[in-house]
């Protein structure tokens, strides 16, 4: 998920810069170093989102455990909410 989130975030960051250039009606390729900069900022944001979401699920499971409820479980496709029971 980390690589996918980074690539999606990077593409979003570059897209944001191109969109702002289009709205300002300047050439899309103006300041190309910002394309690269926004790509890396988007990669960081994509990875940070995954980490924040994982932490949130762990906190929710801790609260549910304190209340005597079963942990939140989901599919193993994207985020594993909890480790498999052994």
């Amino acid at each position: 998920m980390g690589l996918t989130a980074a690539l999606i975030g990077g593409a979003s960051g570059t897209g944001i810069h191109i969109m702002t250039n289009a709205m300002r009606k300047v050439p899309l390729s103006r300041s190309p170093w910002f394309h690269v900069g926004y790509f890396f900022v988007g990669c960081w944001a994509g990875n940070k989102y995954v980490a924040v979401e994982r932490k949130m699920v762990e906190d929710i499971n801790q609260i549910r455990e304190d209340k005597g409820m079963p942990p939140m479980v989901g599919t193993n496709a994207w985020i594993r909410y909890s480790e498999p029971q052994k």
Side-chain angles (χ1 to χ4, degrees):
M1 183 65 189
L3 180 63
T4 304
L7 291 177
I8 290 172
S12 298
T14 302
I16 287 170
H17 183 250
I18 291 173
M19 184 62 69
T20 57
N21 281 350
M23 287 189 296
R24 292 180 351 199
K25 296 191 179 193
V26 297
L28 298 180
S29 61
R30 187 175 188 184
S31 303
W33 52 89
F34 282 139
H35 289 61
V36 177
Y38 280 106
F39 181 84
F40 286 120
V41 169
C43 288
W44 175 81
N47 282 327
K48 188 69 173 172
Y49 175 78
V50 172
V52 166
E53 189 173 8
R54 184 175 304 277
K55 173 100 171 78
M56 181 181 63
V57 168
E58 289 171 1
D59 290 344
I60 289 171
N61 281 339
Q62 182 64 38
I63 292 169
R64 290 175 66 93
E65 183 179 328
D66 292 343
K67 292 183 177 184
M69 299 169 70
M72 215 166 101
V73 294
T75 66
N76 290 333
W78 292 101
I79 294 179
R80 295 186 174 121
Y81 292 132
S82 62
E83 295 297 321
Q85 300 293 330
K86 293 180 181 180

